Amino acid sequence: MASIFTKSTVPLIIMVLFVFYKSNCVFAESIKHKYVIIRNDVGGGVNLTLHCKSKDDDLGVQNISPGGEWGFHFKTSAWGTTLFFCSVEWPGTSHYFDAFVQSRDMDVCDTCVWSIKPDQPCIVFSNRSVCHPWNK
Ligand SMILES: *[C@@H]1O[C@H](CO)[C@@H](O)[C@H](O)[C@H]1NC(C)=O
Ligand SMILES: *[C@@H]1O[C@H](CO)[C@@H](O)[C@H](O)[C@H]1NC(C)=O
């Protein structure tokens, strides 16, 4: 019976191991600790009812007072697929937005501070903000 370790399979095995090793490095780079903070900037003295989830986690219903904030942290996925979405509600209004989309936000922020305004949610930085429309 022939051994599988013939002259032609050894380079192949080395190549497969190398590709596996390289891809693990790429995976490791995509695993980062992230922190998301969500601030109630709706105004008018209203409380914000916030409910954030991912495919695997339900972060529960939060009541955020005017100007108050709440946050959560997590590690991004090796597969680049981390997604947290949230519902925001205040009297007469209900919206959804994506609080963290790995493919969109990975390089945007490590601490992602969302300002929830009546018309749109924005990630705010000291000198600028990045706004996104509500989810349909
Ligand atoms: C906002 O939430 C706080 C804490 O639960 C509550 O005491 C307060 O009455 C709420 N305010 C309004 C306007 O609903
Ligand atoms: C905001 O500040 C960062 C870091 O200080 C800087 O790199 C960036 O160019 C600034 N952006 C604007 C729009 O001024």
Side-chain angles (χ1 to χ4, degrees):
M1 204 172 112
S3 161
I4 61 157
F5 296 104
T6 64
K7 269 196 175 126
S8 61
T9 55
V10 168
L12 184 69
I13 288 166
I14 289 171
M15 201 175 81
V16 166
L17 288 175
F18 182 72
V19 168
F20 185 72
Y21 169 77
K22 290 299 279 184
S23 60
N24 267 323
C25 291
V26 171
F27 286 170
E29 279 167 19
S30 70
I31 300 176
K32 288 224 172 104
H33 208 91
K34 298 286 182 180
Y35 191 28
V36 168
I37 296 171
I38 297 164
R39 193 170 69 215
N40 175 1
D41 287 331
V42 173
V46 301
N47 288 337
L48 179 70
T49 304
L50 175 75
H51 193 176
C52 296
K53 292 180 186 178
S54 70
K55 189 164 65 70
D56 305 315
D57 295 301
D58 184 331
L59 304 179
V61 177
Q62 312 297 326
N63 177 45
I64 308 180
S65 57
E69 59 187 36
W70 176 83
F72 58 94
H73 53 88
F74 55 93
K75 274 186 185 154
T76 55
S77 143
W79 309 102
T81 54
T82 303
L83 169 65
F84 282 93
F85 57 96
C86 306
S87 67
V88 288
E89 292 176 28
W90 59 90
T93 312
S94 171
H95 293 295
Y96 277 92
F97 75 103
D98 292 331
F100 191 88
V101 183
Q102 192 164 341
S103 58
R104 182 191 73 186
D105 301 323
M106 189 66 175
D107 299 326
V108 173
C109 44
D110 290 327
T111 298
C112 308
V113 181
W114 283 94
S115 166
I116 305 301
K117 296 175 185 159
D119 53 338
Q120 61 185 354
C122 300
I123 302 176
V124 293
F125 301 91
S126 56
N127 59 354
R128 67 194 174 101
S129 55
V130 178
C131 300
H132 294 284
W134 302 116
N135 291 356
K136 292 280 182 293

